[in-house]
Amino acid sequence: MAGNSFGTLFRFTTWGESHGPALGAVVDGVPPLLDLSEDDIQPYLDKRRPGQSRYTTQRREADQVRILSGTFEGKTTGTPVSLMIENTDQRSKDYSEIARKFRPGHADYTYWKKYGIRDYRGGGRSSARETAARVAVGAIARKVLGDSIKVRGALVQMGPHHIDPDRWDWDQVDQNPFFCPDEQAAESWASYLDGVRKAGSSIGAVIEVRAEGAPAGLGAPIYDKLDSDLARAMMTINAVKGVEIGDGFAAAELPGEDNADEMRAGNEGPRFLSNHAGGVLGGISTGQDIVVRFAVKPTSSILTPRRTIDIDGQETEIVTKGRHDPCVGIRAVPIGEAMMAIVLADHLLRQRALAP
Amino acid sequence: MAGNSFGTLFRFTTWGESHGPALGAVVDGVPPLLDLSEDDIQPYLDKRRPGQSRYTTQRREADQVRILSGTFEGKTTGTPVSLMIENTDQRSKDYSEIARKFRPGHADYTYWKKYGIRDYRGGGRSSARETAARVAVGAIARKVLGDSIKVRGALVQMGPHHIDPDRWDWDQVDQNPFFCPDEQAAESWASYLDGVRKAGSSIGAVIEVRAEGAPAGLGAPIYDKLDSDLARAMMTINAVKGVEIGDGFAAAELPGEDNADEMRAGNEGPRFLSNHAGGVLGGISTGQDIVVRFAVKPTSSILTPRRTIDIDGQETEIVTKGRHDPCVGIRAVPIGEAMMAIVLADHLLRQRALAP
Amino acid sequence: MAGNSFGTLFRFTTWGESHGPALGAVVDGVPPLLDLSEDDIQPYLDKRRPGQSRYTTQRREADQVRILSGTFEGKTTGTPVSLMIENTDQRSKDYSEIARKFRPGHADYTYWKKYGIRDYRGGGRSSARETAARVAVGAIARKVLGDSIKVRGALVQMGPHHIDPDRWDWDQVDQNPFFCPDEQAAESWASYLDGVRKAGSSIGAVIEVRAEGAPAGLGAPIYDKLDSDLARAMMTINAVKGVEIGDGFAAAELPGEDNADEMRAGNEGPRFLSNHAGGVLGGISTGQDIVVRFAVKPTSSILTPRRTIDIDGQETEIVTKGRHDPCVGIRAVPIGEAMMAIVLADHLLRQRALAP
Amino acid sequence: MAGNSFGTLFRFTTWGESHGPALGAVVDGVPPLLDLSEDDIQPYLDKRRPGQSRYTTQRREADQVRILSGTFEGKTTGTPVSLMIENTDQRSKDYSEIARKFRPGHADYTYWKKYGIRDYRGGGRSSARETAARVAVGAIARKVLGDSIKVRGALVQMGPHHIDPDRWDWDQVDQNPFFCPDEQAAESWASYLDGVRKAGSSIGAVIEVRAEGAPAGLGAPIYDKLDSDLARAMMTINAVKGVEIGDGFAAAELPGEDNADEMRAGNEGPRFLSNHAGGVLGGISTGQDIVVRFAVKPTSSILTPRRTIDIDGQETEIVTKGRHDPCVGIRAVPIGEAMMAIVLADHLLRQRALAP
């Protein structure tokens, strides 16, 4: 059943398994005449790449992207851009245990029930390696957005530990291995996560992604609202269990007086006095920052034995060894950025068709 | 820009404005030979209908649905089912104020920016009257699901007041005007919401929708995951600002040991020892209850004057009189149920194609 | 199974059966700020309307269209335009014969096999009454195209009788009941078709539709080519069995020297010295006239008894009485025009997104 | 603008240019548990491969396909199947002439107008090399169809020379370099096409593709009819200018008595006494053979100088040297077969969802 594509006018399809020869994406609908080479994409892949600190999986993947089509003499031609990333560190190991047992919290059981077969090597298609492909696509989406729309994200909560929004400093995000915008939080998270890692455990996280500079008018009500597309986009990321826009769940506790963002005249059009809405009203962008947060559950690949069953229905236990991230939320930051850029690029093109 | 459709195989399109002559939906992909008449749909519309208690808008709409096509002798034929609901209480009033001023927190400004024109009578297309159409569609989706899959919802939080999950009683849901499953909470909410209403204010809420009896295997990874489709579906409902599956944002605070749902052998297939996942792993249903929660912001239609601008960019104030719900979250319960049924019906048909 | 929609950005869905209470269409993606009222649509419906000459079915339908949504104060708002046409002449008759027997050449048997049920009154959904809805949509598509793109069609062959292309006169098309551009042919067709009609027989036809003024650059290779979309569009019309672009099947007999359209410099861009291609190269418009022809089979509703079977598989005979067109191709002219306008409108919007 | 995908449930996207490093396809919606390896695909590519006789282009491409994802231990897993074919004979040559001049009859001018840029090496994306990808996809579609549905095609007309239908012999199709089912015609075509080739000219052709064994009930009216999807599918093939189903354009000349296929009771369900309809009524398969024909124009790559303009609008002449097929219709036979298999596979899966 076809379900591996995303987008309407800027539309991509990803393919590939964790331990297959390669993975990739075909991006259809890329406008022509954009400057594009591998060098525009690689930095985003490097940001997501595993093995860069002791806080992420030690799988070593070069994650070198190749553009196989859709460009000519350094520019996009309007034809499909095919991206391929070879898998290089498909460590040969014994999968006999995982092949027969369902790992709790993973997709082993559900893929088995759905398809009657699964590629059990490292999760196969359900592995987060797929996200490398969409991070690459996100780099192309940024080209569509141009320089005036800026998309960036940060880790704002690790387990029970929140950042202090008053200490938010974008410059800090690249200064620590957590994409954390709060220098003090980052320091305390380091020792906290060391503890989690050494205990063979894992922990969840919350990521915030913001787009600045997006014009008012993006989004196609009723069913292709900008925020419903963003919610879908973030929820497609592995391990995401919740999404909110602007104040999100906190809005449930607000009275109407406090929630609506009042407007005043500004030098360059209307000025909002607050942004509880997260930049979206009625499914359409307001011109303010677009603010999305999503929650990532802790990986279920932990060293503590868990009760499960095997493919014959027999009760058993499982310990997931292998190379895993104690906090998969960290690497979800560049992935969330990519999905935000992708959603905006699609709606930007759609809006062009409407109001040329 | 086409954006008013939802679904792949069970696919519907809604149309209509708050104060136009009628609104409706065309449902394409309804399987043949289902028993279907207006009587199957009307009860769900009645549940959503305004004016049924002092806690919802006093607009009086009969919300009588007519089936205009797609059935023959009481059964569906496989051809499009066209549903129409006439607007009867389009109270003639003076819209001159709202026509020129942007109501903060509403979609007035964004529709204006997107389309360069808007139907300002009662919100036009951005009005929650559109949800009547999808509630009607949801009734057809339930026919597709059959009797073995049960979808129902409840209000679990009103403003800062949560229900006590230990007091959850489905039978209570229809016994109070809040769709509240906790009898004690419902009582305290009555006086609380009276206060909100009398103050001309409004308040947000959280709704939980559950599907019981859905088989394992529904959902199409990677980009049409069951949970990403549910997130999109709920976020298309007016005023929704957040969606979560299973433990949702709380999962961010959990260690891996506590989050993964362990499995044991059961009499009728595997048995899970908990349901943190909310019935979805890897974007595919596990066979457990599917659990979704969404947050609804307070309506911005309140009696307190708010600062805004008009279409000429001049600063002004606005008070939204009219007939409004102090807690729009209440009527979101049947709407959330409808969207859950719709998503499941679509994925049920998609799964049939895969594994006949 | 959803299959009643057409288009990507300009996208419509039709609904309704031959003898249901009404039929209609929802048009999503109509750009805002177009002048639109029923008066813009009705003339095209009138052109298609039955009962206007002795050469078309004597069913009397007013075919009055109502716009139920999507416009405000005479202009489109960018929201879905819902169109409804009530069926008024659902002549009450005895359908017991047709209910149990499959009419050869009609869709009776195939709908039965596909759905296990069918609305047998007048063909139900398979009736050409559905085309009223798309003719109405075509009128909106023409609004999107504007005045500079002109779409018009003509009957160029009736049974074995071809027009003489050298006598083509567009002004003649509205002067005879056949939409025939050749005055002499129209005269001879009158007596020919009288003979067919009086014999209780029917005859096929070929229609040509041309678009003048379409810019170069429309069409989205590889699978949404302009000509592949046109071929699909025309083949969705009832009774159509063949479609060709430009020289069509005649191109199979041409050597390369004769087929390629040479180019010269012109005052307003390139000038082609011929138009064998029918205005499309590589799936993209050239700026020349876009030329499509399609063949319509004779209706199978004739007075001669035909051998068939009934729903129990028993052999029997059937005579289709009722009110039918001796040459259904005649009324296919405005339908073909509508589909051409629809395809062009969609690709015009798509091109805007690409090259704003 | 996304336009490089085809299909609803069985859905593929192709990518790649004539002279890029590779080309390929991603096939989404392949059901799980089908046996699939490169060996299942390669024979179809070999059939389409250039350079196999003096009647096709002398470009030498190995056209070796690799499966990069979607299979595990020789079976499909339900995840996307990524196919890649490397371009090996991208002969280094001087493209300076073609880079600046528009070849009449080719897509040079239209790609330029649409995108403002084109990859001029060998036609870039508009080259028929793209069809290698879909032939590979067609091999997977055949797996979905299984052994009971047989799809095969033949060349039935070369230039003005038709086969004699009475001499049709499927066994002959693989015995001559033309996929001609008529032994005598094949012999006379050999000398005819030698003459065309030596004259540096080219000629058009007509291909017929038949599917045997397809069940009744495939096709989704109104806009996803089986025949409208087939018409679209065939018209996406390079150089195709016309498509017909069953009697096609000849049906325009028939009276109703002769056109409708009468029915009798048979041993295994209904039996039709003829097949003018080509196996499709009302857009749904009847269970008879599905018969499609399409016309291919002569390639415009010929040795005779043709008048044209360059990208500066200056008048000039062009001679297309290079390696070209005197009758591109020959190699369109396996491509047409692939598209028929693809359309049927998609509708077979769609029908499963409807009537499990």
Side-chain angles (χ1 to χ4, degrees):
Chain A
M1 177 184 351
N4 293 277
S5 301
F6 190 92
T8 296
L9 290 183
F10 182 88
R11 182 170 178 83
F12 70 97
T13 305
T14 69
W15 55 271
E17 284 83 42
S18 174
H19 285 62
L23 58 89
V26 180
V27 195
D28 201 0
V30 181
L33 296 168
L34 301 174
D35 292 317
L36 184 69
S37 75
E38 282 88 348
D39 292 343
D40 295 305
I41 301 172
Q42 197 61 48
Y44 296 98
L45 284 169
D46 292 345
K47 197 171 166 185
R48 192 211 72 102
R49 193 152 50 89
Q52 302 190 101
S53 81
R54 67 181 181 276
Y55 305 110
T56 58
T57 170
Q58 295 308 300
R59 177 170 174 161
R60 298 275 169 193
E61 284 291 352
D63 277 357
Q64 287 289 327
V65 67
R66 279 186 70 199
I67 299 175
L68 295 176
S69 68
T71 62
F72 184 58
E73 298 179 342
K75 290 191 186 299
T76 57
T77 60
T79 65
V81 178
S82 179
L83 303 170
M84 185 169 72
I85 298 165
E86 290 186 59
N87 285 326
T88 53
D89 185 12
Q90 310 137 262
R91 190 175 296 188
S92 152
K93 58 172 259 191
D94 181 4
Y95 285 105
S96 56
E97 186 171 88
I98 191 180
R100 296 192 44 81
K101 295 181 183 177
F102 301 119
R103 294 171 298 166
H106 279 288
D108 299 353
Y109 174 68
T110 54
Y111 269 67
W112 176 258
K113 288 297 284 185
K114 182 173 194 70
Y115 298 110
I117 182 177
R118 68 186 175 97
D119 176 351
Y120 47 73
R121 300 165 304 165
R125 181 69 180 153
S126 72
S127 163
R129 269 216 52 73
E130 186 272 347
T131 59
R134 51 175 115 184
V135 165
V137 176
I140 301 179
R142 287 178 192 263
K143 289 279 178 170
V144 176
L145 297 181
D147 293 333
S148 57
I149 303 179
K150 190 172 192 170
V151 175
R152 49 189 181 176
L155 204 73
V156 297
Q157 183 186 338
M158 181 185 286
H161 306 294
H162 297 247
I163 64 156
D164 179 345
D166 292 335
R167 287 199 298 262
W168 190 299
D169 177 0
W170 281 111
D171 290 338
Q172 283 298 321
V173 169
D174 293 327
Q175 307 294 319
N176 60 68
F178 312 115
F179 302 116
C180 176
D182 172 351
E183 187 177 9
Q184 290 184 33
E187 283 169 25
S188 67
W189 291 359
S191 56
Y192 170 72
L193 196 56
D194 271 330
V196 169
R197 183 172 56 86
K198 286 171 185 164
S201 183
S202 64
I203 192 68
V206 175
I207 290 91
E208 180 169 314
V209 181
R210 285 176 171 265
E212 297 155 70
L218 304 186
I222 301 294
Y223 295 99
D224 294 354
K225 284 173 168 164
L226 185 62
D227 41 359
S228 56
D229 274 12
L230 286 168
R232 176 189 165 203
M234 299 308 166
M235 201 66 99
T236 65
I237 301 172
N238 305 53
V240 172
K241 300 303 286 185
V243 182
E244 51 184 22
I245 309 290
D247 280 5
F249 278 86
E253 307 201 6
L254 290 180
E257 299 79 34
D258 295 349
N259 180 67
D261 304 304
E262 295 180 294
M263 299 173 78
R264 295 282 81 183
N267 293 329
E268 301 170 11
R271 186 168 50 91
F272 291 88
L273 304 183
S274 55
N275 189 12
H276 296 283
V280 186
L281 285 173
I284 302 170
S285 63
T286 63
Q288 292 187 279
D289 285 3
I290 299 167
V291 184
V292 180
R293 267 181 311 282
F294 57 94
V296 176
K297 70 178 184 183
T299 182
S300 307
S301 299
I302 51 175
L303 294 182
T304 311
R306 311 306 295 160
R307 287 172 290 178
T308 190
I309 58 170
D310 63 22
I311 57 177
D312 299 321
Q314 299 303 307
E315 300 193 341
T316 180
E317 289 202 338
I318 194 165
V319 174
T320 311
K321 291 162 192 157
R323 304 158 292 172
H324 297 288
D325 297 41
C327 179
V328 288
I330 298 171
R331 289 168 57 211
V333 173
I335 304 167
E337 291 176 346
M339 294 312 292
M340 169 75 94
I342 285 164
V343 169
L344 291 176
D346 191 35
H347 278 283
L348 198 72
L349 296 184
R350 292 174 75 168
Q351 185 62 8
R352 279 190 198 171
L354 187 70
Chain B
M1 179 184 348
N4 293 277
S5 300
F6 191 92
T8 296
L9 289 183
F10 182 88
R11 182 171 179 82
F12 70 97
T13 306
T14 70
W15 55 270
E17 284 83 41
S18 173
H19 285 62
L23 58 88
V26 180
V27 195
D28 201 0
V30 182
L33 296 167
L34 301 174
D35 291 316
L36 184 69
S37 75
E38 281 88 349
D39 292 343
D40 295 305
I41 302 172
Q42 198 60 48
Y44 297 98
L45 284 168
D46 291 345
K47 196 170 166 187
R48 192 212 72 103
R49 192 152 50 89
Q52 301 191 104
S53 81
R54 67 182 181 275
Y55 303 111
T56 58
T57 170
Q58 295 307 301
R59 177 170 174 161
R60 298 277 169 190
E61 285 291 353
D63 278 357
Q64 287 290 326
V65 67
R66 278 186 70 199
I67 298 176
L68 295 176
S69 68
T71 61
F72 183 58
E73 298 179 342
K75 291 190 184 299
T76 58
T77 59
T79 64
V81 178
S82 178
L83 304 169
M84 184 169 71
I85 298 165
E86 289 186 59
N87 285 326
T88 53
D89 185 13
Q90 311 135 265
R91 191 174 295 189
S92 152
K93 57 173 261 191
D94 182 3
Y95 285 104
S96 56
E97 188 172 88
I98 191 181
R100 296 192 44 79
K101 295 180 182 176
F102 301 118
R103 295 171 298 167
H106 279 288
D108 299 352
Y109 174 68
T110 54
Y111 269 67
W112 177 257
K113 288 297 285 184
K114 181 171 195 70
Y115 298 110
I117 182 177
R118 67 187 174 97
D119 176 350
Y120 46 73
R121 300 164 305 165
R125 180 71 180 152
S126 71
S127 163
R129 269 217 53 73
E130 186 272 345
T131 59
R134 50 175 113 184
V135 165
V137 176
I140 301 178
R142 286 177 192 265
K143 289 278 180 173
V144 177
L145 297 181
D147 293 334
S148 57
I149 302 178
K150 190 171 192 172
V151 175
R152 50 189 180 176
L155 205 72
V156 297
Q157 183 185 338
M158 181 185 286
H161 306 295
H162 297 246
I163 64 157
D164 179 346
D166 292 336
R167 288 199 298 261
W168 191 298
D169 176 1
W170 280 111
D171 290 337
Q172 284 297 320
V173 169
D174 293 326
Q175 306 295 319
N176 60 69
F178 311 115
F179 302 116
C180 176
D182 171 351
E183 187 177 9
Q184 290 184 33
E187 282 169 27
S188 67
W189 291 0
S191 57
Y192 169 72
L193 196 56
D194 271 330
V196 170
R197 183 173 55 86
K198 287 172 185 162
S201 183
S202 64
I203 192 68
V206 175
I207 290 91
E208 181 169 313
V209 182
R210 285 175 171 266
E212 296 153 71
L218 304 186
I222 302 293
Y223 295 99
D224 294 355
K225 284 173 169 164
L226 186 63
D227 41 358
S228 57
D229 273 11
L230 286 169
R232 176 190 165 203
M234 299 307 166
M235 201 65 101
T236 66
I237 301 172
N238 306 54
V240 173
K241 300 303 286 184
V243 183
E244 50 184 23
I245 308 291
D247 280 5
F249 278 87
E253 307 201 6
L254 290 180
E257 298 79 33
D258 295 349
N259 180 68
D261 303 306
E262 294 179 294
M263 300 173 78
R264 296 281 81 183
N267 292 329
E268 302 170 11
R271 187 169 49 90
F272 291 88
L273 304 183
S274 54
N275 190 10
H276 298 283
V280 186
L281 285 174
I284 302 170
S285 62
T286 63
Q288 291 187 279
D289 285 3
I290 299 168
V291 184
V292 179
R293 269 182 309 282
F294 57 93
V296 176
K297 70 178 184 183
T299 181
S300 307
S301 299
I302 51 174
L303 293 181
T304 311
R306 310 307 295 161
R307 288 172 289 177
T308 190
I309 60 171
D310 64 21
I311 58 177
D312 299 321
Q314 298 302 306
E315 299 192 341
T316 181
E317 289 202 338
I318 194 165
V319 174
T320 311
K321 290 161 194 159
R323 304 158 292 174
H324 298 289
D325 296 41
C327 179
V328 288
I330 298 170
R331 288 169 58 211
V333 174
I335 305 167
E337 290 175 347
M339 294 311 292
M340 169 75 94
I342 285 164
V343 169
L344 291 177
D346 191 34
H347 279 282
L348 198 72
L349 297 183
R350 291 174 75 168
Q351 185 63 7
R352 278 190 198 172
L354 187 69
Chain C
M1 177 184 350
N4 293 277
S5 300
F6 191 92
T8 297
L9 290 182
F10 181 88
R11 182 171 179 83
F12 70 97
T13 305
T14 69
W15 55 270
E17 284 83 41
S18 173
H19 285 63
L23 58 89
V26 181
V27 195
D28 201 1
V30 181
L33 297 168
L34 301 175
D35 293 317
L36 184 70
S37 74
E38 282 88 348
D39 292 343
D40 295 305
I41 301 171
Q42 198 61 49
Y44 296 98
L45 284 169
D46 292 344
K47 197 171 166 186
R48 192 212 72 103
R49 190 151 51 88
Q52 301 191 103
S53 81
R54 68 181 180 277
Y55 304 110
T56 58
T57 170
Q58 295 307 301
R59 178 169 174 162
R60 298 277 168 190
E61 284 291 352
D63 277 357
Q64 287 290 326
V65 67
R66 279 187 69 198
I67 298 175
L68 295 175
S69 69
T71 61
F72 184 57
E73 298 178 343
K75 290 191 186 297
T76 57
T77 60
T79 64
V81 178
S82 179
L83 304 169
M84 185 169 71
I85 298 166
E86 289 186 60
N87 285 327
T88 54
D89 185 11
Q90 311 136 262
R91 191 175 295 188
S92 153
K93 56 172 261 191
D94 181 3
Y95 285 105
S96 56
E97 187 173 87
I98 190 179
R100 296 191 44 80
K101 295 180 183 178
F102 301 120
R103 294 171 299 166
H106 279 287
D108 299 352
Y109 174 69
T110 54
Y111 269 68
W112 176 257
K113 288 297 285 183
K114 180 173 195 70
Y115 297 111
I117 182 179
R118 68 187 174 97
D119 177 350
Y120 47 72
R121 300 164 304 165
R125 180 70 179 154
S126 72
S127 163
R129 267 211 63 67
E130 186 272 346
T131 59
R134 52 174 113 182
V135 164
V137 176
I140 301 178
R142 288 176 191 265
K143 289 278 178 172
V144 176
L145 297 181
D147 294 333
S148 58
I149 302 179
K150 189 172 192 171
V151 174
R152 51 189 178 175
L155 204 72
V156 297
Q157 182 185 339
M158 179 185 287
H161 306 295
H162 297 247
I163 64 156
D164 178 346
D166 293 336
R167 287 199 298 260
W168 190 298
D169 176 1
W170 280 112
D171 290 337
Q172 283 298 321
V173 168
D174 293 326
Q175 306 296 318
N176 60 70
F178 311 115
F179 303 116
C180 175
D182 171 350
E183 187 177 9
Q184 290 184 32
E187 282 169 27
S188 67
W189 291 0
S191 56
Y192 168 74
L193 196 56
D194 271 329
V196 169
R197 182 171 58 84
K198 286 172 185 164
S201 182
S202 63
I203 193 69
V206 175
I207 291 90
E208 181 169 314
V209 181
R210 285 174 171 265
E212 296 155 70
L218 304 185
I222 302 294
Y223 295 99
D224 294 354
K225 284 174 168 164
L226 185 61
D227 41 359
S228 56
D229 274 12
L230 285 168
R232 175 188 166 204
M234 299 308 166
M235 201 66 99
T236 66
I237 301 172
N238 305 54
V240 172
K241 301 302 286 185
V243 183
E244 49 183 25
I245 310 289
D247 280 5
F249 278 87
E253 308 202 5
L254 290 181
E257 298 79 33
D258 295 349
N259 180 67
D261 303 305
E262 295 180 294
M263 300 173 77
R264 296 283 79 183
N267 293 329
E268 302 169 12
R271 186 168 50 90
F272 290 88
L273 303 183
S274 54
N275 190 12
H276 297 283
V280 187
L281 285 173
I284 303 170
S285 64
T286 62
Q288 290 186 281
D289 285 3
I290 299 167
V291 184
V292 179
R293 268 181 311 282
F294 57 94
V296 177
K297 70 178 184 183
T299 181
S300 306
S301 300
I302 51 175
L303 294 181
T304 311
R306 310 306 294 161
R307 288 172 288 177
T308 189
I309 59 169
D310 63 21
I311 58 176
D312 299 321
Q314 298 303 306
E315 300 193 343
T316 180
E317 289 202 338
I318 194 165
V319 173
T320 312
K321 290 162 192 158
R323 305 158 293 174
H324 298 287
D325 297 41
C327 179
V328 289
I330 297 171
R331 289 167 58 210
V333 173
I335 304 166
E337 290 175 348
M339 294 311 293
M340 168 76 94
I342 285 164
V343 169
L344 290 177
D346 191 35
H347 279 283
L348 198 72
L349 297 183
R350 292 175 73 167
Q351 184 63 6
R352 278 190 198 172
L354 186 71
Chain D
M1 177 184 352
N4 293 277
S5 301
F6 190 92
T8 296
L9 290 183
F10 181 87
R11 183 171 178 83
F12 70 96
T13 305
T14 69
W15 56 270
E17 283 83 40
S18 173
H19 285 63
L23 58 89
V26 180
V27 195
D28 202 0
V30 182
L33 296 168
L34 301 175
D35 292 316
L36 184 69
S37 75
E38 282 88 349
D39 291 344
D40 295 305
I41 303 171
Q42 198 61 47
Y44 297 98
L45 284 168
D46 291 345
K47 197 170 165 187
R48 193 212 71 103
R49 192 151 51 88
Q52 302 191 101
S53 81
R54 67 183 182 275
Y55 304 110
T56 58
T57 171
Q58 295 307 302
R59 177 169 175 162
R60 297 276 168 191
E61 285 291 353
D63 277 359
Q64 286 291 327
V65 67
R66 278 186 70 199
I67 298 175
L68 295 175
S69 68
T71 61
F72 184 57
E73 298 179 342
K75 289 190 186 299
T76 58
T77 60
T79 64
V81 178
S82 179
L83 303 169
M84 185 169 72
I85 298 165
E86 289 186 60
N87 285 326
T88 53
D89 184 12
Q90 310 136 262
R91 189 175 297 188
S92 153
K93 58 172 260 190
D94 181 4
Y95 285 104
S96 56
E97 187 173 87
I98 190 180
R100 297 192 44 79
K101 294 181 183 177
F102 301 118
R103 294 171 299 167
H106 279 286
D108 300 352
Y109 174 68
T110 55
Y111 269 68
W112 176 257
K113 289 296 285 184
K114 181 172 195 69
Y115 297 110
I117 181 177
R118 68 186 174 97
D119 176 351
Y120 46 74
R121 299 164 305 164
R125 180 71 179 152
S126 72
S127 164
R129 270 218 49 76
E130 187 272 346
T131 59
R134 54 175 113 182
V135 165
V137 176
I140 301 178
R142 287 177 191 264
K143 289 278 180 173
V144 176
L145 297 181
D147 292 335
S148 58
I149 302 179
K150 188 170 192 172
V151 175
R152 50 190 180 174
L155 204 72
V156 297
Q157 183 186 338
M158 180 185 287
H161 305 295
H162 298 246
I163 63 156
D164 179 346
D166 293 335
R167 287 200 297 260
W168 189 299
D169 177 1
W170 281 112
D171 290 337
Q172 284 298 320
V173 169
D174 293 326
Q175 306 295 319
N176 59 70
F178 311 116
F179 302 116
C180 176
D182 171 352
E183 186 177 9
Q184 290 185 32
E187 282 169 27
S188 67
W189 291 0
S191 56
Y192 169 72
L193 196 56
D194 270 330
V196 169
R197 183 172 57 85
K198 286 172 185 163
S201 184
S202 63
I203 193 68
V206 176
I207 291 91
E208 181 169 312
V209 181
R210 285 176 171 264
E212 296 154 72
L218 304 186
I222 301 293
Y223 296 99
D224 295 354
K225 283 174 168 163
L226 185 62
D227 41 357
S228 57
D229 274 12
L230 286 169
R232 177 189 165 204
M234 299 307 165
M235 202 66 100
T236 66
I237 301 172
N238 305 53
V240 172
K241 301 302 286 183
V243 182
E244 50 184 22
I245 309 291
D247 279 6
F249 277 87
E253 307 201 6
L254 290 181
E257 298 79 34
D258 296 348
N259 180 68
D261 303 305
E262 293 180 293
M263 300 173 77
R264 295 282 82 182
N267 293 330
E268 302 170 10
R271 185 168 51 90
F272 290 89
L273 304 183
S274 54
N275 189 11
H276 297 283
V280 187
L281 285 174
I284 302 170
S285 63
T286 63
Q288 291 187 278
D289 285 3
I290 300 168
V291 184
V292 180
R293 269 182 308 282
F294 57 93
V296 177
K297 70 179 184 182
T299 181
S300 305
S301 299
I302 50 174
L303 293 181
T304 311
R306 310 305 295 158
R307 289 172 289 178
T308 190
I309 59 170
D310 63 22
I311 58 177
D312 298 322
Q314 298 302 306
E315 300 192 342
T316 180
E317 289 201 338
I318 194 165
V319 174
T320 311
K321 290 162 193 157
R323 305 159 292 175
H324 298 289
D325 297 41
C327 179
V328 289
I330 298 171
R331 288 169 57 212
V333 173
I335 304 167
E337 290 175 348
M339 294 311 292
M340 169 75 94
I342 284 164
V343 168
L344 290 177
D346 192 34
H347 279 282
L348 197 73
L349 296 183
R350 293 175 73 168
Q351 185 63 7
R352 279 190 198 171
L354 186 69

